[in-house]
Short mmCIF file of all heavy atoms in Angstrom, two decimals:
data_model
loop_
_atom_site.label_atom_id
_atom_site.label_comp_id
_atom_site.label_asym_id
_atom_site.label_seq_id
_atom_site.Cartn_x
_atom_site.Cartn_y
_atom_site.Cartn_z
N MET A 174 -2.65 10.73 -8.28
CA MET A 174 -3.53 11.30 -9.28
C MET A 174 -3.55 12.80 -9.09
O MET A 174 -3.85 13.30 -8.02
CB MET A 174 -4.93 10.71 -9.10
CG MET A 174 -5.98 11.28 -9.97
SD MET A 174 -7.50 10.31 -9.73
CE MET A 174 -8.61 11.27 -10.68
N ALA A 175 -3.21 13.52 -10.13
CA ALA A 175 -3.25 14.98 -10.07
C ALA A 175 -4.67 15.44 -10.40
O ALA A 175 -5.25 15.04 -11.41
CB ALA A 175 -2.26 15.56 -11.07
N TRP A 176 -5.22 16.23 -9.52
CA TRP A 176 -6.58 16.71 -9.72
C TRP A 176 -6.59 17.87 -10.70
O TRP A 176 -5.64 18.63 -10.79
CB TRP A 176 -7.18 17.16 -8.39
CG TRP A 176 -7.27 16.05 -7.41
CD1 TRP A 176 -6.52 15.87 -6.29
CD2 TRP A 176 -8.15 14.93 -7.47
NE1 TRP A 176 -6.88 14.71 -5.65
CE2 TRP A 176 -7.88 14.11 -6.36
CE3 TRP A 176 -9.14 14.54 -8.37
CZ2 TRP A 176 -8.57 12.93 -6.11
CZ3 TRP A 176 -9.83 13.35 -8.12
CH2 TRP A 176 -9.55 12.58 -7.00
N THR A 177 -7.69 18.00 -11.43
CA THR A 177 -7.84 19.06 -12.42
C THR A 177 -9.09 19.88 -12.11
O THR A 177 -9.93 19.46 -11.31
CB THR A 177 -7.97 18.47 -13.84
OG1 THR A 177 -9.22 17.75 -13.91
CG2 THR A 177 -6.80 17.56 -14.19
N GLN A 178 -9.20 20.99 -12.80
CA GLN A 178 -10.40 21.80 -12.65
C GLN A 178 -11.63 21.02 -13.10
O GLN A 178 -12.71 21.16 -12.53
CB GLN A 178 -10.27 23.10 -13.45
CG GLN A 178 -11.44 24.04 -13.28
CD GLN A 178 -11.63 24.53 -11.85
OE1 GLN A 178 -10.67 24.94 -11.21
NE2 GLN A 178 -12.86 24.49 -11.35
N THR A 179 -11.47 20.15 -14.08
CA THR A 179 -12.58 19.32 -14.55
C THR A 179 -13.07 18.41 -13.43
O THR A 179 -14.28 18.21 -13.26
CB THR A 179 -12.14 18.48 -15.76
OG1 THR A 179 -11.71 19.38 -16.80
CG2 THR A 179 -13.27 17.62 -16.29
N ASP A 180 -12.14 17.86 -12.63
CA ASP A 180 -12.53 17.02 -11.50
C ASP A 180 -13.30 17.83 -10.46
O ASP A 180 -14.31 17.37 -9.92
CB ASP A 180 -11.30 16.40 -10.84
CG ASP A 180 -10.54 15.49 -11.79
OD1 ASP A 180 -11.17 14.79 -12.60
OD2 ASP A 180 -9.30 15.50 -11.72
N LEU A 181 -12.82 19.03 -10.19
CA LEU A 181 -13.51 19.90 -9.23
C LEU A 181 -14.90 20.25 -9.75
O LEU A 181 -15.88 20.24 -8.99
CB LEU A 181 -12.69 21.17 -8.97
CG LEU A 181 -13.25 22.13 -7.94
CD1 LEU A 181 -13.44 21.46 -6.58
CD2 LEU A 181 -12.34 23.35 -7.82
N ASP A 182 -15.01 20.54 -11.04
CA ASP A 182 -16.31 20.84 -11.63
C ASP A 182 -17.26 19.64 -11.50
O ASP A 182 -18.45 19.81 -11.21
CB ASP A 182 -16.16 21.23 -13.10
CG ASP A 182 -15.42 22.55 -13.29
OD1 ASP A 182 -15.29 23.33 -12.32
OD2 ASP A 182 -14.95 22.79 -14.43
N ALA A 183 -16.73 18.43 -11.70
CA ALA A 183 -17.57 17.23 -11.61
C ALA A 183 -18.10 17.04 -10.20
O ALA A 183 -19.28 16.71 -10.01
CB ALA A 183 -16.76 16.00 -12.04
N ILE A 184 -17.26 17.23 -9.21
CA ILE A 184 -17.71 17.04 -7.83
C ILE A 184 -18.68 18.15 -7.43
O ILE A 184 -19.67 17.90 -6.74
CB ILE A 184 -16.53 16.89 -6.85
CG1 ILE A 184 -16.99 16.15 -5.59
CG2 ILE A 184 -15.88 18.20 -6.51
CD1 ILE A 184 -15.87 15.64 -4.72
N ASN A 185 -18.45 19.36 -7.89
CA ASN A 185 -19.39 20.45 -7.60
C ASN A 185 -20.75 20.20 -8.24
O ASN A 185 -21.79 20.48 -7.64
CB ASN A 185 -18.82 21.79 -8.06
CG ASN A 185 -17.81 22.34 -7.08
OD1 ASN A 185 -17.89 22.11 -5.87
ND2 ASN A 185 -16.83 23.07 -7.58
N ALA A 186 -20.74 19.63 -9.45
CA ALA A 186 -22.01 19.31 -10.12
C ALA A 186 -22.77 18.23 -9.35
O ALA A 186 -23.99 18.31 -9.20
CB ALA A 186 -21.74 18.85 -11.55
N ALA A 187 -22.05 17.24 -8.84
CA ALA A 187 -22.69 16.19 -8.05
C ALA A 187 -23.30 16.77 -6.77
O ALA A 187 -24.42 16.43 -6.40
CB ALA A 187 -21.69 15.09 -7.71
N ILE A 188 -22.56 17.65 -6.12
CA ILE A 188 -23.05 18.28 -4.89
C ILE A 188 -24.32 19.07 -5.19
O ILE A 188 -25.29 19.02 -4.43
CB ILE A 188 -21.96 19.18 -4.27
CG1 ILE A 188 -20.83 18.30 -3.72
CG2 ILE A 188 -22.55 20.09 -3.19
CD1 ILE A 188 -19.57 19.08 -3.37
N ALA A 189 -24.33 19.77 -6.30
CA ALA A 189 -25.46 20.63 -6.66
C ALA A 189 -26.76 19.85 -6.82
O ALA A 189 -27.84 20.37 -6.51
CB ALA A 189 -25.16 21.40 -7.94
N VAL A 190 -26.66 18.60 -7.27
CA VAL A 190 -27.88 17.81 -7.47
C VAL A 190 -28.09 16.75 -6.40
O VAL A 190 -29.03 15.96 -6.47
CB VAL A 190 -27.91 17.16 -8.88
CG1 VAL A 190 -27.90 18.22 -9.95
CG2 VAL A 190 -26.77 16.18 -9.05
N GLY A 191 -27.19 16.69 -5.43
CA GLY A 191 -27.33 15.73 -4.34
C GLY A 191 -26.88 14.32 -4.68
O GLY A 191 -27.20 13.38 -3.96
N ALA A 192 -26.13 14.16 -5.77
CA ALA A 192 -25.63 12.84 -6.15
C ALA A 192 -24.41 12.50 -5.30
O ALA A 192 -23.67 13.38 -4.89
CB ALA A 192 -25.25 12.84 -7.63
N LYS A 193 -24.21 11.21 -5.05
CA LYS A 193 -23.06 10.79 -4.28
C LYS A 193 -22.08 9.97 -5.12
O LYS A 193 -21.09 9.47 -4.62
CB LYS A 193 -23.50 9.99 -3.05
CG LYS A 193 -24.20 10.86 -2.02
CD LYS A 193 -24.41 10.14 -0.72
CE LYS A 193 -25.53 9.14 -0.82
NZ LYS A 193 -25.82 8.46 0.44
N ARG A 194 -22.33 9.85 -6.41
CA ARG A 194 -21.45 9.12 -7.32
C ARG A 194 -20.85 10.14 -8.30
O ARG A 194 -21.58 10.91 -8.92
CB ARG A 194 -22.21 8.06 -8.08
CG ARG A 194 -21.31 7.21 -8.96
CD ARG A 194 -22.06 6.09 -9.57
NE ARG A 194 -22.42 5.15 -8.51
CZ ARG A 194 -22.92 3.95 -8.71
NH1 ARG A 194 -23.14 3.53 -9.93
NH2 ARG A 194 -23.20 3.17 -7.70
N VAL A 195 -19.52 10.09 -8.42
CA VAL A 195 -18.81 11.06 -9.26
C VAL A 195 -17.78 10.33 -10.11
O VAL A 195 -17.10 9.42 -9.63
CB VAL A 195 -18.08 12.11 -8.40
CG1 VAL A 195 -17.43 13.18 -9.26
CG2 VAL A 195 -19.02 12.76 -7.40
N ARG A 196 -17.65 10.73 -11.38
CA ARG A 196 -16.62 10.18 -12.25
C ARG A 196 -15.48 11.19 -12.35
O ARG A 196 -15.69 12.34 -12.69
CB ARG A 196 -17.15 9.90 -13.65
CG ARG A 196 -16.06 9.40 -14.59
CD ARG A 196 -16.59 8.86 -15.89
NE ARG A 196 -17.37 7.65 -15.73
CZ ARG A 196 -16.85 6.43 -15.54
NH1 ARG A 196 -15.55 6.27 -15.49
NH2 ARG A 196 -17.62 5.38 -15.41
N PHE A 197 -14.27 10.72 -11.98
CA PHE A 197 -13.05 11.52 -12.07
C PHE A 197 -12.14 10.85 -13.08
O PHE A 197 -11.72 9.71 -12.86
CB PHE A 197 -12.29 11.56 -10.74
CG PHE A 197 -13.06 12.16 -9.60
CD1 PHE A 197 -13.57 11.35 -8.60
CD2 PHE A 197 -13.26 13.51 -9.52
CE1 PHE A 197 -14.25 11.89 -7.53
CE2 PHE A 197 -13.95 14.06 -8.46
CZ PHE A 197 -14.44 13.25 -7.46
N GLN A 198 -11.82 11.52 -14.16
CA GLN A 198 -10.89 11.00 -15.16
C GLN A 198 -11.23 9.55 -15.48
O GLN A 198 -12.17 9.31 -16.21
CB GLN A 198 -9.45 11.20 -14.69
CG GLN A 198 -9.11 12.67 -14.50
CD GLN A 198 -7.78 12.90 -13.84
OE1 GLN A 198 -6.86 12.12 -13.97
NE2 GLN A 198 -7.66 14.00 -13.11
N THR A 199 -10.53 8.58 -14.92
CA THR A 199 -10.80 7.17 -15.22
C THR A 199 -11.39 6.42 -14.03
O THR A 199 -11.47 5.19 -14.07
CB THR A 199 -9.49 6.46 -15.65
OG1 THR A 199 -8.55 6.54 -14.58
CG2 THR A 199 -8.92 7.08 -16.91
N HIS A 200 -11.80 7.12 -12.99
CA HIS A 200 -12.35 6.49 -11.80
C HIS A 200 -13.77 6.96 -11.56
O HIS A 200 -14.09 8.12 -11.76
CB HIS A 200 -11.53 6.84 -10.55
CG HIS A 200 -10.14 6.31 -10.59
ND1 HIS A 200 -9.12 6.93 -11.25
CD2 HIS A 200 -9.61 5.20 -10.05
CE1 HIS A 200 -8.01 6.24 -11.11
NE2 HIS A 200 -8.29 5.17 -10.39
N GLU A 201 -14.60 6.05 -11.09
CA GLU A 201 -15.93 6.42 -10.62
C GLU A 201 -15.99 6.11 -9.14
O GLU A 201 -15.62 5.01 -8.71
CB GLU A 201 -17.00 5.64 -11.37
CG GLU A 201 -18.39 6.12 -11.02
CD GLU A 201 -19.44 5.46 -11.88
OE1 GLU A 201 -19.63 5.91 -13.02
OE2 GLU A 201 -20.05 4.49 -11.41
N VAL A 202 -16.43 7.09 -8.37
CA VAL A 202 -16.44 6.95 -6.92
C VAL A 202 -17.85 7.20 -6.40
O VAL A 202 -18.53 8.12 -6.84
CB VAL A 202 -15.47 7.97 -6.27
CG1 VAL A 202 -15.48 7.83 -4.76
CG2 VAL A 202 -14.08 7.81 -6.82
N GLU A 203 -18.27 6.35 -5.45
CA GLU A 203 -19.53 6.58 -4.77
C GLU A 203 -19.22 6.88 -3.30
O GLU A 203 -18.62 6.05 -2.61
CB GLU A 203 -20.46 5.38 -4.87
CG GLU A 203 -21.79 5.66 -4.21
CD GLU A 203 -22.83 4.59 -4.51
OE1 GLU A 203 -22.54 3.67 -5.27
OE2 GLU A 203 -23.93 4.70 -3.97
N TYR A 204 -19.60 8.05 -2.85
CA TYR A 204 -19.37 8.46 -1.47
C TYR A 204 -20.53 8.01 -0.61
O TYR A 204 -21.67 7.94 -1.06
CB TYR A 204 -19.19 9.98 -1.41
CG TYR A 204 -17.93 10.41 -2.12
CD1 TYR A 204 -17.95 10.76 -3.46
CD2 TYR A 204 -16.72 10.42 -1.45
CE1 TYR A 204 -16.78 11.13 -4.11
CE2 TYR A 204 -15.55 10.78 -2.10
CZ TYR A 204 -15.59 11.13 -3.43
OH TYR A 204 -14.44 11.47 -4.07
N HIS A 205 -20.26 7.70 0.64
CA HIS A 205 -21.28 7.20 1.56
C HIS A 205 -22.18 8.30 2.09
O HIS A 205 -23.31 8.04 2.50
CB HIS A 205 -20.63 6.47 2.75
CG HIS A 205 -19.93 5.23 2.33
ND1 HIS A 205 -20.57 4.03 2.16
CD2 HIS A 205 -18.63 5.00 2.00
CE1 HIS A 205 -19.72 3.12 1.76
NE2 HIS A 205 -18.53 3.67 1.66
N SER A 206 -21.68 9.53 2.09
CA SER A 206 -22.47 10.63 2.63
C SER A 206 -22.09 11.93 1.95
O SER A 206 -21.03 12.03 1.31
CB SER A 206 -22.21 10.77 4.13
OG SER A 206 -20.88 11.20 4.37
N MET A 207 -22.95 12.90 2.09
CA MET A 207 -22.65 14.22 1.55
C MET A 207 -21.45 14.82 2.27
O MET A 207 -20.65 15.55 1.67
CB MET A 207 -23.88 15.13 1.67
CG MET A 207 -23.74 16.45 0.93
SD MET A 207 -23.37 16.35 -0.83
CE MET A 207 -24.84 15.60 -1.48
N THR A 208 -21.26 14.49 3.54
CA THR A 208 -20.11 14.98 4.30
C THR A 208 -18.81 14.52 3.65
O THR A 208 -17.87 15.30 3.49
CB THR A 208 -20.18 14.50 5.76
OG1 THR A 208 -21.39 15.00 6.34
CG2 THR A 208 -18.99 14.98 6.56
N GLU A 209 -18.75 13.24 3.25
CA GLU A 209 -17.56 12.73 2.57
C GLU A 209 -17.35 13.42 1.23
O GLU A 209 -16.23 13.72 0.85
CB GLU A 209 -17.67 11.22 2.34
CG GLU A 209 -17.50 10.41 3.58
CD GLU A 209 -17.53 8.91 3.29
OE1 GLU A 209 -17.86 8.51 2.15
OE2 GLU A 209 -17.24 8.15 4.22
N LEU A 210 -18.42 13.66 0.53
CA LEU A 210 -18.34 14.33 -0.77
C LEU A 210 -17.81 15.75 -0.61
O LEU A 210 -16.93 16.19 -1.36
CB LEU A 210 -19.73 14.34 -1.41
CG LEU A 210 -19.84 14.79 -2.86
CD1 LEU A 210 -19.04 13.87 -3.78
CD2 LEU A 210 -21.29 14.80 -3.28
N LEU A 211 -18.30 16.46 0.40
CA LEU A 211 -17.83 17.82 0.65
C LEU A 211 -16.35 17.84 1.06
O LEU A 211 -15.59 18.72 0.65
CB LEU A 211 -18.69 18.49 1.71
CG LEU A 211 -20.14 18.77 1.30
CD1 LEU A 211 -20.96 19.18 2.51
CD2 LEU A 211 -20.20 19.81 0.20
N ARG A 212 -15.95 16.86 1.84
CA ARG A 212 -14.55 16.75 2.26
C ARG A 212 -13.66 16.51 1.04
O ARG A 212 -12.61 17.12 0.89
CB ARG A 212 -14.38 15.63 3.27
CG ARG A 212 -12.95 15.44 3.71
CD ARG A 212 -12.85 14.41 4.85
NE ARG A 212 -11.46 14.13 5.12
CZ ARG A 212 -10.82 13.04 4.72
NH1 ARG A 212 -11.47 12.11 4.05
NH2 ARG A 212 -9.55 12.87 5.00
N ALA A 213 -14.10 15.63 0.15
CA ALA A 213 -13.35 15.35 -1.07
C ALA A 213 -13.23 16.61 -1.91
O ALA A 213 -12.16 16.92 -2.44
CB ALA A 213 -14.03 14.24 -1.86
N ARG A 214 -14.33 17.34 -2.04
CA ARG A 214 -14.31 18.59 -2.80
C ARG A 214 -13.29 19.56 -2.23
O ARG A 214 -12.50 20.18 -2.95
CB ARG A 214 -15.70 19.21 -2.79
CG ARG A 214 -15.91 20.40 -3.71
CD ARG A 214 -15.94 21.80 -3.09
NE ARG A 214 -16.27 21.91 -1.71
CZ ARG A 214 -17.44 22.35 -1.25
NH1 ARG A 214 -18.41 22.68 -2.07
NH2 ARG A 214 -17.62 22.46 0.05
N ASP A 215 -13.26 19.68 -0.92
CA ASP A 215 -12.32 20.61 -0.27
C ASP A 215 -10.87 20.20 -0.51
O ASP A 215 -10.01 21.04 -0.73
CB ASP A 215 -12.62 20.71 1.22
CG ASP A 215 -13.95 21.38 1.51
OD1 ASP A 215 -14.52 22.02 0.60
OD2 ASP A 215 -14.43 21.25 2.65
N LEU A 216 -10.61 18.88 -0.47
CA LEU A 216 -9.25 18.39 -0.71
C LEU A 216 -8.81 18.63 -2.16
O LEU A 216 -7.68 19.03 -2.42
CB LEU A 216 -9.14 16.91 -0.37
CG LEU A 216 -9.25 16.57 1.11
CD1 LEU A 216 -9.38 15.07 1.32
CD2 LEU A 216 -8.04 17.10 1.87
N ILE A 217 -9.72 18.37 -3.10
CA ILE A 217 -9.40 18.61 -4.51
C ILE A 217 -9.15 20.09 -4.75
O ILE A 217 -8.17 20.47 -5.41
CB ILE A 217 -10.54 18.09 -5.42
CG1 ILE A 217 -10.61 16.57 -5.35
CG2 ILE A 217 -10.35 18.56 -6.86
CD1 ILE A 217 -11.86 15.98 -5.99
N LYS A 218 -10.01 20.92 -4.21
CA LYS A 218 -9.87 22.37 -4.38
C LYS A 218 -8.54 22.86 -3.80
O LYS A 218 -7.84 23.65 -4.41
CB LYS A 218 -11.04 23.09 -3.71
CG LYS A 218 -11.03 24.58 -3.92
CD LYS A 218 -12.25 25.22 -3.30
CE LYS A 218 -12.19 26.72 -3.51
NZ LYS A 218 -13.23 27.41 -2.76
N ALA A 219 -8.18 22.35 -2.62
CA ALA A 219 -6.93 22.76 -1.99
C ALA A 219 -5.73 22.36 -2.86
O ALA A 219 -4.78 23.13 -3.01
CB ALA A 219 -6.81 22.13 -0.61
N GLU A 220 -5.77 21.16 -3.42
CA GLU A 220 -4.66 20.72 -4.27
C GLU A 220 -4.56 21.58 -5.52
O GLU A 220 -3.46 21.98 -5.92
CB GLU A 220 -4.81 19.25 -4.65
CG GLU A 220 -3.61 18.76 -5.44
CD GLU A 220 -3.65 17.28 -5.71
OE1 GLU A 220 -3.92 16.51 -4.77
OE2 GLU A 220 -3.40 16.90 -6.87
N ILE A 221 -5.69 21.87 -6.13
CA ILE A 221 -5.68 22.70 -7.34
C ILE A 221 -5.13 24.09 -7.04
O ILE A 221 -4.39 24.67 -7.82
CB ILE A 221 -7.09 22.78 -7.95
CG1 ILE A 221 -7.45 21.44 -8.58
CG2 ILE A 221 -7.17 23.88 -9.00
CD1 ILE A 221 -8.88 21.33 -9.03
N GLU A 222 -5.48 24.61 -5.87
CA GLU A 222 -5.03 25.94 -5.49
C GLU A 222 -3.61 25.94 -4.95
O GLU A 222 -3.09 26.97 -4.54
CB GLU A 222 -5.99 26.53 -4.46
CG GLU A 222 -7.35 26.83 -5.05
CD GLU A 222 -8.37 27.29 -4.03
OE1 GLU A 222 -8.10 27.23 -2.81
OE2 GLU A 222 -9.46 27.71 -4.46
N GLY A 223 -2.98 24.75 -4.91
CA GLY A 223 -1.59 24.66 -4.50
C GLY A 223 -1.35 24.52 -3.02
O GLY A 223 -0.23 24.61 -2.56
N GLU A 224 -2.40 24.26 -2.27
CA GLU A 224 -2.24 24.05 -0.84
C GLU A 224 -1.87 22.60 -0.58
O GLU A 224 -2.15 21.72 -1.39
CB GLU A 224 -3.54 24.39 -0.10
CG GLU A 224 -3.95 25.85 -0.29
CD GLU A 224 -5.32 26.13 0.28
OE1 GLU A 224 -5.88 25.26 0.99
OE2 GLU A 224 -5.85 27.21 0.02
N THR A 225 -1.28 22.32 0.54
CA THR A 225 -0.93 20.96 0.92
C THR A 225 -2.15 20.25 1.47
O THR A 225 -2.85 20.78 2.32
CB THR A 225 0.18 20.97 2.00
OG1 THR A 225 1.28 21.68 1.47
CG2 THR A 225 0.59 19.56 2.35
N SER A 226 -2.39 19.05 1.00
CA SER A 226 -3.51 18.25 1.49
C SER A 226 -3.18 17.72 2.87
O SER A 226 -2.11 17.17 3.11
CB SER A 226 -3.77 17.09 0.54
OG SER A 226 -4.74 16.25 1.09
N SER A 227 -4.10 17.89 3.81
CA SER A 227 -3.87 17.40 5.16
C SER A 227 -4.72 16.18 5.49
O SER A 227 -4.62 15.61 6.55
CB SER A 227 -4.18 18.50 6.18
OG SER A 227 -5.53 18.89 6.05
N GLY A 228 -5.58 15.79 4.55
CA GLY A 228 -6.46 14.66 4.82
C GLY A 228 -5.94 13.38 4.22
O GLY A 228 -4.93 13.34 3.53
N GLY A 229 -6.66 12.32 4.49
CA GLY A 229 -6.31 11.02 3.95
C GLY A 229 -6.95 10.82 2.59
O GLY A 229 -7.33 11.77 1.93
N PRO A 230 -7.08 9.57 2.19
CA PRO A 230 -7.66 9.27 0.90
C PRO A 230 -9.10 9.76 0.80
O PRO A 230 -9.83 9.74 1.79
CB PRO A 230 -7.61 7.74 0.82
CG PRO A 230 -6.91 7.27 2.02
CD PRO A 230 -6.69 8.41 2.94
N ILE A 231 -9.48 10.19 -0.39
CA ILE A 231 -10.85 10.68 -0.53
C ILE A 231 -11.75 9.66 -1.21
O ILE A 231 -12.93 9.85 -1.29
CB ILE A 231 -10.90 12.01 -1.30
CG1 ILE A 231 -10.43 11.84 -2.73
CG2 ILE A 231 -10.13 13.07 -0.57
CD1 ILE A 231 -10.71 13.01 -3.61
N PHE A 232 -11.17 8.56 -1.71
CA PHE A 232 -11.99 7.52 -2.31
C PHE A 232 -12.42 6.56 -1.22
O PHE A 232 -11.60 5.97 -0.55
CB PHE A 232 -11.21 6.75 -3.38
CG PHE A 232 -10.82 7.60 -4.55
CD1 PHE A 232 -9.49 7.71 -4.93
CD2 PHE A 232 -11.77 8.29 -5.27
CE1 PHE A 232 -9.14 8.48 -6.02
CE2 PHE A 232 -11.41 9.06 -6.36
CZ PHE A 232 -10.10 9.16 -6.74
N THR A 233 -13.72 6.39 -1.05
CA THR A 233 -14.18 5.49 -0.01
C THR A 233 -14.68 4.18 -0.58
O THR A 233 -14.74 3.20 0.12
CB THR A 233 -15.32 6.15 0.80
OG1 THR A 233 -16.37 6.52 -0.09
CG2 THR A 233 -14.81 7.37 1.54
N GLU A 234 -15.08 4.18 -1.84
CA GLU A 234 -15.56 2.94 -2.44
C GLU A 234 -15.32 3.02 -3.93
O GLU A 234 -15.77 3.94 -4.60
CB GLU A 234 -17.05 2.79 -2.17
CG GLU A 234 -17.64 1.53 -2.76
CD GLU A 234 -19.11 1.39 -2.43
OE1 GLU A 234 -19.56 1.91 -1.42
OE2 GLU A 234 -19.79 0.73 -3.22
N TYR A 235 -14.58 2.08 -4.47
CA TYR A 235 -14.28 2.05 -5.89
C TYR A 235 -15.41 1.35 -6.62
O TYR A 235 -15.76 0.23 -6.28
CB TYR A 235 -12.95 1.36 -6.14
CG TYR A 235 -12.56 1.34 -7.58
CD1 TYR A 235 -12.18 2.51 -8.22
CD2 TYR A 235 -12.57 0.17 -8.31
CE1 TYR A 235 -11.81 2.51 -9.54
CE2 TYR A 235 -12.21 0.16 -9.64
CZ TYR A 235 -11.83 1.33 -10.25
OH TYR A 235 -11.46 1.33 -11.57
N CYS A 236 -16.00 2.02 -7.60
CA CYS A 236 -17.15 1.46 -8.30
C CYS A 236 -16.84 1.13 -9.75
O CYS A 236 -17.68 0.59 -10.45
CB CYS A 236 -18.32 2.44 -8.27
SG CYS A 236 -18.91 2.78 -6.62
N GLY A 237 -15.68 1.50 -10.25
CA GLY A 237 -15.36 1.29 -11.66
C GLY A 237 -14.46 0.11 -11.88
O GLY A 237 -13.89 -0.44 -10.96
N GLY A 238 -14.30 -0.25 -13.10
CA GLY A 238 -13.45 -1.36 -13.45
C GLY A 238 -12.34 -0.94 -14.36
O GLY A 238 -11.99 -1.64 -15.30
N TYR A 239 -11.80 0.23 -14.18
CA TYR A 239 -10.77 0.76 -15.08
C TYR A 239 -9.39 0.43 -14.61
O TYR A 239 -8.93 0.60 -13.61
CB TYR A 239 -10.91 2.27 -15.24
CG TYR A 239 -12.18 2.66 -15.91
CD1 TYR A 239 -13.32 2.97 -15.18
CD2 TYR A 239 -12.27 2.68 -17.29
CE1 TYR A 239 -14.49 3.32 -15.79
CE2 TYR A 239 -13.45 3.03 -17.90
CZ TYR A 239 -14.55 3.34 -17.16
OH TYR A 239 -15.72 3.69 -17.77
#
């Protein structure tokens, strides 16, 4: 899945209000902690900026049926 600025905006909006559930394109993800959410944000941001991702998967729990 290629991340977009819209995905980064969605995760930043969730962080701003303390939500742990985020919708990305066709996926909805619920993170277990704010730490996981921040890690996901950093990975998405790095990919958008063209850096190589060094972490593992950022989805910890699939909540959608798409």
Side-chain angles (χ1 to χ4, degrees):
M174 175 174 173
W176 298 109
T177 67
Q178 184 62 47
T179 301
D180 298 323
L181 183 59
D182 293 343
I184 203 166
N185 281 329
I188 291 167
V190 298
K193 291 191 285 183
R194 185 174 291 190
V195 184
R196 177 169 293 282
F197 299 107
Q198 299 171 30
T199 60
H200 295 82
E201 186 173 279
V202 180
E203 183 169 357
Y204 294 92
H205 294 276
S206 68
M207 189 56 66
T208 300
E209 286 184 351
L210 189 62
L211 292 169
R212 179 173 172 257
R214 189 256 337 255
D215 293 345
L216 291 170
I217 292 169
K218 184 177 179 189
E220 184 174 313
I221 289 172
E222 292 175 351
E224 299 172 10
T225 303
S226 173
S227 60
I231 65 168
F232 296 124
T233 57
E234 180 178 334
Y235 182 70
C236 297
Y239 295 93

